[in-house]
Amino acid sequence: MTLYQRLQEVKSEEDIKDAYIKALGLKKYSKNLIDIQTEEIWFEAKDGFNKSSYQMFTQLLHYVQQALDKGEQIPPFLCVIDTKKAAIMKTEDALPLISNKKQPIKWGKNASGYTQEALDVVSSYIGTYFVSFKIETHEEEFINTVKNAIKKGDIIRTSITPDNLKQVFDKWVAMIGNEIESVKDEEYALLFFADIMHDGTVSTHDNLPAELRSEE
């Protein structure tokens, strides 16, 4: 049974955690306040699929902030998972954001009770740093990416070239474009190029005819 098939049969968040643990072959892990915790990766899991990756990463980054404040060890990678999607990013990519003492993030009372301000700040920063996967169609790619991250200490990304541009575009539509409401098919190309030409803070080109951003 594939991970996706297993996820369609889960009854609880604990079932989701167990499904991912089995699929990824995790050996040394704990399940506590942080849903799945290993030396290499911390996971935030959600039952269902109604929470965005941005929302889940905001919660997970609050835990990282708390660990840093206590002088505790943090992992090199962060991962968010649910019944339909998953995403992974390097922890170090978020450190400049959460270590900014001049503009500290107003997280909220606890990790799950994040403020809208915290969500907005995190979302605008991490968009180009995490790699997303639709489990139904990219399960194997997700599993290999996580295993390679643990083994090699890096997230292997596919460079966009003239030869694979169509393939990358089709994947973007399947994983991101289709999640955007009220978008016509002919508008996908414009949004795709707006997305890849923006690093989350600054666009590579001025006066682009479109901008893609998260608004929760």
Side-chain angles (χ1 to χ4, degrees):
M1 183 181 291
T2 66
L3 169 59
Y4 180 74
Q5 291 171 334
R6 204 172 290 122
L7 288 172
Q8 305 319 298
E9 298 181 356
V10 298
K11 303 298 183 182
S12 67
E13 188 175 294
E14 286 302 313
D15 291 343
I16 294 173
K17 298 177 193 178
D18 292 339
Y20 277 94
I21 288 169
K22 183 175 182 179
L24 295 170
L26 302 179
K27 301 301 182 183
K28 297 181 180 180
Y29 63 86
S30 60
K31 293 191 291 183
N32 298 300
L33 191 60
I34 297 168
D35 290 327
I36 306 172
Q37 189 171 3
T38 75
E39 289 186 1
E40 299 87 4
I41 306 178
W42 286 359
F43 295 81
E44 176 63 29
K46 293 296 181 186
D47 193 2
F49 53 89
N50 293 324
K51 295 292 185 180
S52 71
S53 295
Y54 292 98
Q55 290 173 300
M56 291 189 281
F57 272 124
T58 299
Q59 185 169 341
L60 198 51
L61 285 171
H62 191 178
Y63 291 130
V64 174
Q65 178 80 76
Q66 291 175 330
L68 288 172
D69 291 344
K70 296 176 182 177
E72 298 174 349
Q73 185 175 354
I74 58 174
F77 300 99
L78 304 172
C79 189
V80 296
I81 53 178
D82 65 21
T83 57
K84 288 193 174 183
K85 64 183 179 294
I88 185 172
M89 69 178 293
K90 289 183 178 179
T91 308
E92 66 180 23
D93 287 334
L95 291 183
L97 174 67
I98 62 179
S99 300
N100 188 344
K101 300 300 183 183
K102 293 182 178 179
Q103 293 181 311
I105 298 174
K106 297 178 181 178
W107 293 106
K109 294 182 178 180
N110 51 56
S112 59
Y114 52 79
T115 64
Q116 183 64 45
E117 180 180 344
L119 177 60
D120 290 342
V121 170
V122 171
S123 296
S124 65
Y125 187 89
I126 68 171
T128 57
Y129 289 121
F130 67 81
V131 183
S132 299
F133 302 89
K134 187 176 181 180
I135 300 301
E136 183 177 9
T137 54
H138 295 84
E139 172 181 327
E140 184 176 352
E141 185 178 350
F142 164 69
I143 293 172
N144 289 337
T145 297
V146 173
K147 289 184 175 181
N148 281 330
I150 294 174
K151 183 178 180 180
K152 300 178 181 180
D154 200 4
I155 298 174
I156 308 302
R157 295 173 178 258
T158 300
S159 299
I160 301 176
T161 68
D163 292 333
N164 70 2
L165 182 59
K166 178 62 166 60
Q167 179 183 355
V168 173
F169 171 72
D170 289 342
K171 180 179 177 181
W172 181 91
V173 171
M175 299 176 67
I176 299 176
N178 287 336
E179 301 298 322
I180 306 173
E181 296 181 357
S182 303
V183 175
K184 299 177 181 178
D185 290 349
E186 59 267 25
E187 296 175 326
Y188 282 138
L190 180 60
L191 292 174
F192 168 70
F193 284 108
D195 197 10
I196 65 175
M197 289 180 181
H198 201 283
D199 71 356
T201 303
V202 179
S203 173
T204 59
H205 291 68
D206 292 329
N207 301 317
L208 286 173
E211 179 181 2
L212 191 65
R213 60 186 180 183
S214 171
E215 292 187 357
E216 298 295 342

